[in-house]
Amino acid sequence: MLKVGDQAPDFTLNSKNGDSFSFHQHMESDNRFHLLVFFRGEWCPVCNDQLKELEQNIDTFNELNTHILAISTDEAQNLNKMRETHSLSFPLFSDPERKAAEPYGVQYHNGQLYEDHGDHGEPALFLVDDKKRVLYFDIQTGPFGRPTAEDLRKTIKYIKKTLQS
């Protein structure tokens, strides 16, 4: 299980145009903080609200030099629809095989305890600095209780202010 201060696991997923995207390789040329947003899927109204709110606050995240990457176990075609519907400017990655989600400890709903839209990843957030260290995370086991964009703004601002090299 990941702890604050651990190196963020690398993952490779396909971008919306089918190119291979390696997180660590991306970070070699992009030295911003990265907010990894794992979400349930296009079908989830709470996820739609969360991603819309992040987009509405994109200038705040840009001012904090923080790049958002959103990842779901949902299919790429559904995520493309979501991207277009909400005019999302940050990348959305499909991770049906949980190549990114598993190493980060993102919870997975498999329907064994209760029915909830089939199998899917649950929400989680990870803040990764330019040294590839995990500085903050929030892992959920259900759709509710996610930090707001304002909560994330305060957290990122506080961490940046108090961060020790």
Side-chain angles (χ1 to χ4, degrees), residues 81-96:
K81 176 181 157 189
M82 185 182 209
R83 179 184 296 109
E84 290 173 19
T85 299
H86 303 304
S87 301
L88 300 175
S89 62
F90 47 83
L92 271 67
F93 295 97
S94 177
D95 185 23

Side-chain angles (χ1 to χ4, degrees), residues 14-31:
N14 289 329
S15 67
K16 73 176 181 178
N17 52 1
D19 295 334
S20 183
F21 173 90
S22 162
F23 182 49
H24 280 191
Q25 188 174 9
H26 166 75
M27 290 191 70
E28 294 301 322
S29 61
D30 187 333
N31 64 357

Side-chain angles (χ1 to χ4, degrees), residues 16 34 58 60 84 99-100 140 147:
K16 73 176 181 178
H34 284 74
I58 199 71
T60 298
E84 290 173 19
K99 291 178 184 177
Q140 301 287 315

Side-chain angles (χ1 to χ4, degrees), residues 139-153:
I139 298 174
Q140 301 287 315
T141 59
F144 306 105
R146 305 172 204 202
T148 65
E150 177 61 11
D151 294 334
L152 292 168
R153 181 197 68 78

Side-chain angles (χ1 to χ4, degrees), residues 7 11 22 29 31 39 48 59 69 92 100 108 119-120 143 159 163:
Q7 177 158 331
F11 58 85
S22 162
S29 61
N31 64 357
F39 66 101
N48 279 271
D59 290 341
L69 302 174
L92 271 67
Y108 190 74
D119 295 357
H120 57 79
I159 288 172
L163 186 64

Side-chain angles (χ1 to χ4, degrees), residues 122-134:
E122 292 291 1
L125 296 162
F126 295 85
L127 181 65
V128 179
D129 73 1
D130 57 336
K131 295 179 177 93
K132 301 178 188 157
R133 299 178 297 187
V134 175

